Amino acid sequence: MKLEDPRLFRHFAWINGEWCHSESGAEWPVHNPADNSLLGYIPLLEPAQIDRAVDAAEQAFARWRQVRADRRAALLMAWYQQLLAHRDDLATLLVYEQGKPRREAEGEVDYAAGFIRWFAEEAVRINGETLAVHIDGTLPGTLKEPVGVCALITPWNFPLAMITRKAAAALAAGCSVLVKPANETPFSALALAELAERAGLPSGVFNVITGDPQAVCAQLCEEPRVRALSFTGSTRVGKLLLAQCAGSVKRVSLELGGNAPFVVAPDVNIDEAAAAAIDARFQTSGQDCLAANRIMVHQQIHEAFIEAFTARLRALKVGPGDSPDSDIGPLIHRQAVDKAQALVDDALSRGARLIHGDQRQAPGDNYFMPTLLIGVTPAMRVWQEESFAPIAAVAAWQHDDQAIALANASEYGLAAYLWTHDQRRVWRYIRELEYGMVAVNSVKMTGVTVPFGGIKQSGLGREGGRTGIDEYLTTRYFCLGGLSGEPTQPSVTGE
């Protein structure tokens, strides 16, 4: 891996403005998923070092919250400019540690930088309000204040953007942060720390801690000085973290799993719908919480859709992210490949048909060839679970009541897609689909302005958009009395 600025390739944790190794010398190897080659090591910090990181963040918070909003915004804008200036190197890090194709990596850098700019601009729009007077001689109102030290636990599929979407909001609000990146993809997070220092962010405000995932997360959840926790990852882990945070009654935001339906109505252009379904299913090699897990096609056009979809599927190129022709990169590790194969095997054993996907053609151990299954039913694991792999599972439907019921028959509720030109159908599905986000005739639905998040077991809270900063703010009420020159009388209720 060759970078224009080698100093961006950091191997130590970043705490209180200093690079540090584990006191025990314990390390974790990081591999390139394309070929399993060793990229480097990161330290497995000891509990005492995590404690000191919390100390540093707590002390930094006391100072950072007092920094004027426009000055916080200026520092965030300087960080944003650093990301733009090092776009190519950051994309290279993503290609090698995450495996995504180069154009997707460059898109993620732009996406990640956009959140920093957005929340830099939101920093100067944090306002309390004056309330209607309900007690004579008083002036009631509210203040919006930072919640405190925040722990940010981020995934490996978007190693840059999931950090900036959380950290930029928290920093803009006046919080300090402890970022725990996925051990599979830590180098993007450490590059962000290097650029944050160059941008002038004060020591202790932005920290990146590395270590054993279970031990570090448990310590952060139980630490009372950590006042908020934000996690992006699986629903299973999110539930565990939520339970661990209960003891200290933290503010918790969770962006969890998805099992997105992609509903294709009979009135569409079939080629356009097939192209859209390809994009929705195979983005990030299928390793995306927004990926279309269940493709539901009206019976009237099912056969023609499968023909168009298969033709486009066969054109996809599978290979390493640094190959300019690659559309699909490797999965993050071999366990992901094994899970994908298990899902396919289960579907076939229950009556699904394999139309495309010869795994003997895979160019390496961590690759899974794009696969098309038809005749999929709700009894199959590939329908019930988030596959996080390039597997397209297709089922047919006959009427809208059936399609909506099938789409909603999931514990997840993150995102859904609808492809139709019938405006009555559009409004019905928007209202009746039990998902936090619905995209109609569009694969692209995310962006810095979007209040990203789901319902049901897909999470709590929202990230991005105008509401994203609220996860890191607390509302305080005040009642200023004595304004009439007379003592304020007690409330009739005694409250």
Side-chain angles (χ1 to χ4, degrees):
M1 179 173 60
K2 184 178 180 180
L3 302 179
E4 294 180 11
D5 186 349
R7 292 178 301 165
L8 293 180
F9 190 29
R10 294 288 188 170
H11 296 256
F12 291 166
W14 177 250
I15 298 175
N16 201 24
E18 296 181 349
W19 299 105
C20 60
H21 202 283
S22 169
E23 291 176 343
S24 68
E27 294 181 321
W28 181 281
V30 181
H31 297 93
N32 180 350
D35 58 11
N36 287 319
S37 60
L38 180 67
L39 293 176
Y41 295 87
I42 54 169
L44 297 176
L45 299 182
E46 300 298 318
Q49 292 179 282
I50 304 298
D51 279 337
R52 289 198 290 273
V54 177
D55 290 340
E58 184 180 35
Q59 294 166 17
F61 168 63
R63 300 185 298 269
W64 181 245
R65 68 179 301 176
Q66 300 299 330
V67 175
R68 235 170 51 194
D70 60 333
R71 292 175 180 167
R72 289 201 303 267
L75 288 168
L76 287 172
M77 283 301 295
W79 195 23
Y80 163 74
Q81 294 294 342
Q82 287 289 335
L83 265 71
L84 296 187
H86 296 87
R87 180 176 185 264
D88 289 346
D89 279 349
L90 292 171
T92 298
L93 283 172
L94 287 171
V95 167
Y96 279 87
E97 70 172 352
Q98 202 280 335
K100 59 182 58 182
R102 179 81 192 188
R103 64 179 176 277
E104 288 188 6
E106 291 171 348
E108 182 178 347
V109 177
D110 295 339
Y111 188 44
F115 284 112
I116 300 177
R117 177 176 180 176
W118 172 264
F119 285 113
E121 294 168 346
E122 288 296 296
V124 297
R125 302 189 183 102
I126 300 172
N127 301 306
E129 61 180 339
T130 301
L131 304 178
V133 174
H134 65 291
I135 302 172
D136 290 340
T138 68
L139 178 64
T142 62
L143 302 173
K144 290 288 187 74
E145 295 187 341
V147 68
V149 177
C150 302
L152 313 179
I153 303 172
T154 56
W156 48 258
N157 60 336
F158 287 91
L160 276 178
M162 296 304 95
I163 293 175
T164 61
R165 189 163 71 184
K166 299 174 189 294
L171 295 173
C175 300
S176 58
V177 301
L178 299 159
V179 178
K180 169 61 183 74
N183 280 16
E184 292 88 347
T185 56
F187 297 128
S188 295
L190 297 171
L192 281 176
E194 170 68 23
L195 295 178
E197 182 190 27
R198 296 183 192 182
L201 285 177
S203 297
V205 169
F206 182 84
N207 306 276
V208 179
I209 53 179
T210 58
D212 176 76
Q214 286 186 310
V216 172
C217 291
Q219 187 172 350
L220 293 174
C221 289
E222 295 166 6
E223 171 57 66
R225 293 174 296 169
V226 174
R227 296 304 309 138
L229 180 138
S230 179
F231 168 74
T232 296
S234 71
T235 295
R236 180 186 67 83
V237 174
K239 290 178 179 180
L240 293 173
L241 297 179
L242 185 61
Q244 291 173 341
C245 287
S248 54
V249 196
K250 287 184 185 7
R251 174 84 61 87
V252 177
S253 58
L254 304 171
E255 196 268 282
L256 306 178
N259 190 8
F262 188 104
V263 182
V264 183
D267 61 308
V268 302
N269 179 296
I270 293 175
D271 286 336
E272 289 180 0
I278 287 283
D279 290 342
R281 172 60 268 187
F282 297 111
Q283 54 191 324
T284 324
S285 304
Q287 301 173 117
D288 191 323
C289 59
L290 296 182
N293 226 47
R294 299 170 292 154
I295 301 174
M296 300 162 50
V297 183
H298 193 275
Q299 184 67 49
Q300 180 180 322
I301 61 169
H302 181 270
E303 185 174 341
F305 177 89
I306 293 301
E307 182 178 348
F309 187 92
T310 303
R312 291 180 177 275
L313 181 62
R314 287 175 175 155
L316 294 176
K317 303 295 184 182
V318 179
D322 58 357
S323 172
D325 297 330
S326 293
D327 300 305
I328 305 272
L331 301 189
I332 192 64
H333 43 51
R334 183 64 199 182
Q335 297 96 304
V337 175
D338 293 340
K339 177 191 174 183
Q341 188 60 56
L343 293 176
V344 172
D345 291 344
D346 173 79
L348 295 177
S349 72
R350 295 175 184 271
R353 288 176 53 203
L354 178 66
I355 301 301
H356 184 78
D358 184 355
Q359 301 309 319
R360 294 172 298 179
Q361 298 176 0
D365 289 344
N366 294 339
Y367 291 87
F368 196 84
M369 299 301 290
T371 296
L372 172 59
L373 297 169
I374 66 171
V376 174
T377 70
M380 301 172 185
R381 287 180 58 196
V382 74
W383 181 278
Q384 301 165 3
E385 301 177 22
E386 182 178 34
S387 66
F388 245 55
I391 303 170
V394 181
W397 59 277
Q398 294 181 338
H399 52 80
D400 289 311
D401 288 344
Q402 178 192 21
I404 291 170
L406 285 172
N408 288 339
S410 173
E411 65 184 17
Y412 300 105
L414 184 58
Y417 301 86
L418 172 65
W419 215 262
T420 183
H421 299 302
D422 184 332
Q423 291 303 309
R424 290 172 298 181
R425 178 178 280 124
V426 167
W427 284 111
R428 180 184 179 189
Y429 276 68
I430 286 176
R431 286 192 297 265
E432 296 187 25
L433 287 174
E434 297 171 355
Y435 292 84
M437 300 177 289
V438 179
V440 179
N441 299 331
S442 176
V443 174
K444 302 294 185 183
M445 72 166 74
T446 59
V448 299
T449 64
V450 174
F452 190 102
I455 59 176
K456 297 190 285 188
Q457 294 190 38
S458 286
L460 300 170
R462 292 294 181 267
E463 295 187 340
R466 294 180 60 188
T467 58
I469 201 168
D470 292 337
E471 301 295 332
Y472 305 97
L473 292 168
T474 186
T475 300
R476 295 182 57 214
Y477 163 75
F478 65 85
C479 183
L480 182 59
L483 299 182
S484 65
E486 299 178 2
T488 303
Q489 297 301 313
S491 167
V492 174
T493 64
E495 294 181 352

